[in-house]
């Protein structure tokens, strides 16, 4: 069984390329190039946060109750 590595000796890998160690200036990336490439992916829509499609969202603002037909 291997011994655990102390936090001081750990060298996390770049979140984008997974090849080079992370530099403090560009954390969690290894360079400005990887940081810019990741930003470009967000801006181009390659990444998305899960949620309901916009077409299914209610038109009523938060806290407003939809009107219901009342019978006399």
């Amino acid at each position: 069984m291997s011994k655990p590595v102390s936090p001081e000796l750990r060298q996390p890998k770049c979140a984008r390329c997974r090849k080079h160690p992370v530099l403090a200036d560009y954390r969690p990336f290894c360079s400005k190039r990887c940081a810019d490439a990741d930003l470009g992916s967000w801006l181009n829509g390659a990444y998305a946060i899960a949620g309901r499609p916009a077409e299914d969202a209610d038109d009523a603002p938060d806290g407003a109750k939809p009107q219901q037909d009342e019978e006399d």
Side-chain angles (χ1 to χ4, degrees), residues 47-53:
Y47 300 141
I49 298 173
R52 296 193 303 187

Side-chain angles (χ1 to χ4, degrees), residues 32-63:
K32 182 164 175 39
R33 180 176 180 249
C34 280
D36 289 344
D38 188 69
L39 177 61
S41 294
W42 276 104
L43 295 175
N44 290 330
Y47 300 141
I49 298 173
R52 296 193 303 187
E55 300 86 42
D56 293 342
D58 296 331
D59 293 334
D62 290 342

